[in-house]
Amino acid sequence: MEALIMDYQTHEVRDIDVLVIGGGIAATFAAIKAKEAGARRVVQVDKGTVGKTGNSCFAAGVIHVCFPEDDLDDRLMRLTRAEGYLAQQDLIQDHLQDSYPILEDMRRYGVRLVMNPDGTYGRMAGRGAYPVVMFYSTQLMDALRQHAQAIGVEQVNRLYVSELLAGNGEVSGAVGFHQYSGDFYVFRSRSTVLATGSTYYKGIHPGQRDCTADGFGMAYRIGATLCGGEQNDQPANAMPARVDVGPGMNKWMGEGAVFRNAKGERFMERYSPKLKERSGLPQIIAFFCIEARMGRAPILMDATHLGPENMERLYQMLPLPQREFESIGVVKDGKFQKLVEFCPTGPTTRPGVVVDRSYASRTARLFAAGEACSPSAVVTGLAAAATSGARAGASAARCAHDSNGIVGDNGLVGELRERAFGPLARAGGLEPDHVLLELQEAVIPYDVLLLREGSRMERALKRVETIRDQDLPMLGAYDLHYLRLCHEMRNLVLTAELQLKAAIQRTETRNILREDYPFTDNVNWLKWIMVRKEGDRQKWWTEDIPIERYPLAPKREVELAYLWRVPRDLGIVSIQDGRVQWEFEK
Ligand SMILES: Cc1cc2nc3c(=O)[nH]c(=O)nc-3n(C[C@H](O)[C@H](O)[C@H](O)COP(=O)(O)OP(=O)(O)OC[C@H]3O[C@@H](n4cnc5c(N)ncnc54)[C@H](O)[C@@H]3O)c2cc1C
């Protein structure tokens, strides 16, 4: 194996204005907008294939856009509340303003959207209060990829970026290995956009297996400031539990599908009488967890009552999931025949890069976009990933234009190459899948990070630290495929550690249930939890949210969190000595 490693050649790709890491919607918009802003050489690198890997290409077919006729202030209020007031409201405002022009850009670039016969956008009911725009599945990312190529973006596929190249507090590119040839690549760039998505700890659904927290790991290791690992506007998605049919909840619920618990009750009517199954994901996930805690799981999606028109729209918008349902007998003769078990696909997490309004990180020449950013900066969804990508790309192009040259890297390349191929030298070591299962057992159970409690999270953290200290150093790779999996594991374990440590610190319930701290604390916790690597040390601190500078502020008070108020009012829990007591346990 040593001889093989020596055979892998090192290639230098020089003189790049903007290097974009990732192949999802954020990265592709960044690459396109960098080019439109005048960057000469734009290189986009994906560990899979641009437009065919990650979440964006598997998204469920809806885009949340703020139309000129919509009430922007109301939409800002809803997104800010969904973020539990942890949002960078100026960035969310920019996103809302940009979202309609970005939709128009998509059309210009060849994306097919559902239109009315009169040429206006066909907006339809989805989850949430505002109607959504629909697109035709994978065609969206195919069109964006092709447009980027057409305007001269150089795309490199199957190249796993393992580290950012940084020296003297500046980023000067990235390094990685090609997954077919094994060759090692050094990309030297004037500015770099990190758009590597988020993570779900490798859930069963398509896209999620490639979202492996690589960007968080890379950014952390060069000392970039990260934040928000404990919170997310979508703490998890809700999807079929045992079959991999891909996403579609938004559309199924939009067409009228309902959730039932094991007793057959349509429980969302009780918890959320107005929006019911079309409530936001934080509510749906919380109420799934409460039902499970009371022994009323599994949760089932019931779409058996949907009529021919609903089914026709579902086939149009979600052809792949519908065909998957057919293949397992859930859909037959044009109707849903059986209920489908659902569960939270989570927890999702984003200890993302802290960015300002131009999507610049706190490390010079490094920008971030999409779900590689902290959730306070970029809300989940295609539209926000696209608008942030567009701004990050334009900013990176400006940065490249203004720079004097490409900074040096203090001779780091040799060390990074050794680190990249390290697991190949331990071919008989632990398999990454073994470590993945251990990690999933520690963090995925619903009562660790979705229904939180301090001592349970401490136990999970101990397990993660053991994996970090005992398993990671023994990871071994037989070949280049396993090599990539080893690196992904390293980033996933680090991310789990950051998520748990931040979640333990946040002693309140804000968007995510915490049994030992059921109150939302707007006196002490309007704060971001930040982390950065300093030498060998992990530095943690909090920063006050500049809420007085933002349009929206909650009352500075401590109150029982809405997510606990609902079950309290329904007699499911009571609050005693500042903790949640489950009535069924009394
Ligand atoms: C099942 C599901 C359904 C969804 N449906 C919708 C929907 O209908 N509407 C909506 O608005 N939102 C939806 N979302 C959310 C939406 O898909 C995401 O918010 C959005 O796609 C994020 O885009 P992104 O570009 O930030 O990340 P991604 O699309 O995940 O892209 C990340 C990219 O980075 C690449 N990458 C990662 N690591 C490396 C590395 N080390 N080297 C090189 N490349 C790397 C990946 O290959 C990938 O191409 C859905 C999400 C899920 C999980």
Side-chain angles (χ1 to χ4, degrees), residues 444-459:
I444 285 193
Y446 80 97
D447 60 354
V448 176
L449 280 159
L450 297 176
L451 178 58
R452 296 177 177 177
E453 194 272 334
S455 61
R456 292 201 296 264
M457 289 193 286
E458 292 283 1
R459 274 199 300 279

Side-chain angles (χ1 to χ4, degrees), residues 21-27 45-48 53-56 58-64 159-161 195-197 200 208 210-211 214 218 237 239 247 369-371 380-383 385:
I21 308 173
I25 195 165
V45 186
D46 188 33
K47 68 178 176 181
T53 317
N55 267 337
S56 303
F58 295 106
V62 305
I63 311 182
H64 299 265
L159 199 135
Y160 181 87
V161 177
T196 39
Y200 306 75
Q208 301 185 351
D210 294 308
C211 293
D214 298 330
M218 281 182 238
N237 212 318
M239 295 230 235
E371 296 191 341
T380 306
L382 293 167

